[in-house]
Amino acid sequence: YQRRVRGQFLWLFDDSMEKSEKSPITSKRIQNIIDYLTYEVWKYQIRGSYEEHKFLYTLLLTLKICLQCNRIKPNEFMTFIKGGAALDLVCQDDSNGSKAGHRGHYHHE
C-alpha cells in the first residue's frame, strides 16, 4: 500500500514539475510547482472521496494552507477545528444549584 501511495505521489510530483508554469526566478518556479502540486493532489484526493468528505477535506486543506502562510494563527486554527472544546468551557452553577449550562450559559475560566 505504501509503495503504491509513494508511486502515485511521485507521479503527481513529476507531473507538476513538467506542467507547472516555468519561471527563471527560482523562488517563483518553486512556488509554481507547489501551487500546481497542491491543486493536483487535491483533485486526486477529491476524486476518490465520498461526497460528504469532499467539503471537509477541502476545508482542512485550505485551513492548513492559511496556517502555513500565516493568514490564520495556530490558536485560531485549533479553536475552529475543536470548537467549544478548545475554549475549555466550564458550566457554572446558578443560585438553584442546577447547572447554568443547561440554559446555554457558560463562562471561560
Side-chain angles (χ1 to χ4, degrees):
Y1 172 77
Q2 287 180 344
R3 285 185 186 173
R4 188 179 84 199
V5 170
R6 180 184 163 125
Q8 291 167 341
F9 178 80
L10 290 176
W11 176 80
L12 287 170
F13 180 78
D14 289 343
D15 198 46
S16 298
M17 293 279 290
E18 182 180 322
K19 294 181 180 176
S20 61
E21 183 180 341
K22 310 296 188 258
S23 176
I25 302 167
T26 304
S27 61
K28 179 69 174 158
R29 174 71 177 133
I30 291 169
Q31 190 59 52
N32 291 343
I33 293 167
I34 290 170
D35 291 346
Y36 192 94
L37 179 61
T38 301
Y39 179 68
E40 290 301 309
V41 168
W42 174 81
K43 281 191 334 185
Y44 186 83
Q45 176 63 35
I46 291 298
R47 188 177 327 130
S49 297
Y50 292 112
E51 199 59 38
E52 63 264 15
H53 297 150
K54 290 179 181 182
F55 176 75
L56 181 60
Y57 177 76
T58 301
L59 176 64
L60 288 174
L61 180 62
T62 303
L63 287 170
K64 290 298 278 186
I65 290 169
C66 289
L67 186 63
Q68 191 70 25
C69 295
N70 294 317
R71 292 185 182 139
I72 61 172
K73 298 173 187 162
N75 63 331
E76 294 170 333
F77 174 79
M78 293 308 296
T79 298
F80 184 77
I81 294 300
K82 292 182 177 180
L87 299 175
D88 192 28
L89 295 175
V90 179
C91 289
Q92 180 180 18
D93 286 334
D94 69 8
S95 60
N96 298 333
S98 63
K99 292 290 185 185
H102 293 293
R103 293 190 308 262
H105 302 288
Y106 292 91
H107 77 282
H108 180 71
E109 292 186 322

